[in-house]
Amino acid sequence: MSRMAVSLIILLVVIVGGLFLLSGRATERPTTQVEKAVSLGNLQ
């Protein structure tokens, strides 16, 4: 194999590994409800 082909294979493996690593880290967090006191003057 030529050096160019080996370099492309290594680059492809690094990119696929990085995507796999990032996809494992993306987790959904449950939503939290935030309640704030609002003065009556702001309710129109």
Side-chain angles (χ1 to χ4, degrees):
M1 273 197 218
S2 67
R3 287 186 179 205
M4 183 71 151
V6 172
S7 298
L8 287 175
I9 291 172
I10 291 173
L11 182 63
L12 183 64
V13 168
V14 168
I15 290 173
V16 170
L19 289 174
F20 183 75
L21 178 69
L22 289 175
S23 70
R25 291 182 57 192
T27 58
E28 292 186 19
R29 296 182 182 168
T31 57
T32 57
Q33 192 170 8
V34 178
E35 296 182 13
K36 293 176 79 174
V38 179
S39 65
L40 291 177
N42 291 336
L43 296 175
Q44 294 180 358

